[in-house]
């Protein structure tokens, strides 16, 4: 049987893996939506009204865009 500490570590790793997979999905979605094979793509992320999106809100903004796509 797996001890309690080991199970907590496994649970923490599963949570972290889910976070990393979500980050990877965001990146892949951005690349797919803005694929440019002949030039470097530079992204300027803006919210409604053209206001910059704070870095802490960027993941949520990308998630919302992914859900609408």
């Amino acid at each position: 049987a797996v001890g309690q500490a080991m199970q907590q570590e496994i649970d923490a790793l599963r949570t972290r893996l889910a976070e990393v997979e979500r980050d990877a999905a965001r990146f892949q979605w951005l690349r797919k939506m803005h694929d440019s094979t002949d030039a470097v793509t530079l992204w300027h992320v803006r919210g409604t009204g053209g206001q910059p999106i704070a870095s802490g809100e960027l993941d949520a903004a990308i998630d919302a865009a992914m859900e609408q796509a």
Side-chain angles (χ1 to χ4, degrees):
V2 177
Q4 184 177 357
M6 183 67 72
Q7 187 60 50
Q8 289 174 337
E9 180 69 16
I10 291 169
D11 293 343
L13 289 170
R14 286 182 175 151
T15 298
R16 181 66 184 132
L17 177 59
E19 293 168 357
V20 170
E21 287 175 335
R22 187 68 184 162
D23 285 342
R26 287 184 192 106
F27 176 74
Q28 292 167 355
W29 182 82
L30 284 171
R31 291 212 40 192
K32 180 180 174 186
M33 295 302 294
H34 305 285
D35 191 18
S36 177
T37 57
D38 57 348
V40 174
T41 301
L42 179 62
W43 295 309
H44 294 278
V45 181
R46 302 244 179 228
T48 55
Q51 297 299 318
I53 295 176
S55 61
E57 300 170 358
L58 184 57
D59 288 349
I62 295 170
D63 290 344
M66 289 171 63
E67 289 174 7
Q68 292 176 2

